[in-house]
Amino acid sequence: MIPIMICFILIYGTFKKVPTYESFVEGGKEGITISFSIIPFLVGMLVAISVFRASGALDFFVGLLRPLLEMIGVPAEILPLAIIRPISGSAALALTSDLISVHGPDSFIGRLAATIQGSTDTTFYVLTVYFGAVGIKKMGDAVKVGLLADLVGIIAAIVVVIMIFGR
């Protein structure tokens, strides 16, 4: 499909008399410029994640909420995934992989982790990359809406996994 799409773009560009190769090279230059401009934002976010996990703050937070989660029937092992997922996709994938390897892919925790992984997004990463690339400094409303969408995705994942697979 990709070679067909590339051929279509080249033929269409030739038909419209667009200098396709020059346009491609110019787009590549812009891509490299944008990549360099977002590196500081990404480094800052990755350092913050590392500090949060290494300081023990994540484990402390999980310990505080464990009784509440057990009361509503949600395993506390899922909480680190729910917290990290909006921040970093790779860290969330590592947590999901760990949960699945420890509890198994067909366990309640494994299914819930996989469903949360698929039903939420890396809100802070997306905002950092896209808003940083275009120079937007005020992202308060976008953060609120993104985190609300993540919360709804997590709640929906819990409800759906319970409805389909039970506890």
Side-chain angles (χ1 to χ4, degrees):
M1 228 24 222
I2 293 176
I4 293 170
M5 189 172 79
I6 291 171
C7 287
F8 174 76
I9 291 170
L10 291 174
I11 293 169
Y12 184 77
T14 304
F15 176 73
K16 290 289 189 174
K17 303 215 186 309
V18 174
T20 52
Y21 182 74
E22 289 81 4
S23 298
F24 173 77
V25 170
E26 189 62 35
K29 286 180 187 176
E30 288 179 25
I32 290 172
T33 304
I34 289 173
S35 296
F36 282 120
S37 71
I38 64 173
I39 285 174
F41 297 100
L42 293 174
V43 169
M45 185 182 64
L46 293 173
V47 167
I49 292 167
S50 298
V51 168
F52 183 63
R53 290 189 74 191
S55 70
L58 180 62
D59 295 331
F60 177 75
F61 190 65
V62 170
L64 281 177
L65 293 180
R66 183 177 296 275
L68 175 67
L69 292 171
E70 289 175 356
M71 190 170 65
I72 60 174
V74 176
E77 293 85 358
I78 291 295
L79 188 58
L81 175 62
I83 293 170
I84 294 295
R85 178 69 177 143
I87 301 169
S88 169
S90 58
L93 186 59
L95 284 171
T96 301
S97 176
D98 185 50
L99 288 171
I100 289 173
S101 67
V102 169
H103 299 283
D106 292 330
S107 68
F108 179 73
I109 292 175
R111 289 175 173 158
L112 185 55
T115 307
I116 288 174
Q117 184 76 13
S119 62
T120 58
D121 200 4
T122 55
T123 301
F124 288 109
Y125 176 82
V126 169
L127 293 177
T128 299
V129 170
Y130 294 128
F131 283 33
V134 294
I136 297 174
K137 301 283 186 229
K138 296 180 181 178
M139 50 178 120
D141 291 337
V143 170
K144 292 173 192 169
V145 171
L147 291 177
L148 179 62
D150 287 331
L151 179 63
V152 169
I154 291 167
I155 292 169
I158 292 168
V159 170
V160 167
V161 169
I162 289 173
M163 286 175 53
I164 293 176
F165 300 109
R167 286 183 209 257

